């Protein structure tokens, strides 16, 4: 997995963000989830970039 994440910096960034969102979901913490959504980096594209 680490090698795949080195192919493009946005892959690593998106992977890290998704893990934070997954954590919020598993903890059933909707406040954290929506805070994370609101704070998503603008550098992440809204659509497929590959």
């Amino acid at each position: 997995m680490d090698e795949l994440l080195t192919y493009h910096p946005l892959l690593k960034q998106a992977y890290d963000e998704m893990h934070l969102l997954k954590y919020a979901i598993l903890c059933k913490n909707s406040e954290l989830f929506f805070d994370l959504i609101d704070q998503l980096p603008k550098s992440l594209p809204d659509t497929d970039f590959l």
Side-chain angles (χ1 to χ4, degrees):
M1 180 56 88
D2 290 333
E3 182 180 346
L4 292 174
L5 294 175
T6 64
Y7 291 158
H8 198 286
L10 286 178
L11 288 175
K12 173 74 168 116
Q13 188 177 14
Y15 181 82
D16 292 341
E17 295 294 332
M18 291 306 298
H19 272 274
L20 291 172
L21 291 168
K22 180 181 173 185
Y23 173 78
I25 291 169
L26 291 174
C27 292
K28 298 181 180 179
N29 187 336
S30 61
E31 183 176 340
L32 175 60
F33 177 82
F34 288 111
D35 285 345
L36 290 169
I37 292 289
D38 289 339
Q39 297 171 14
L40 281 174
K42 300 294 181 201
S43 59
L44 290 177
D46 291 338
T47 59
D48 296 337
F49 64 91
L50 295 177

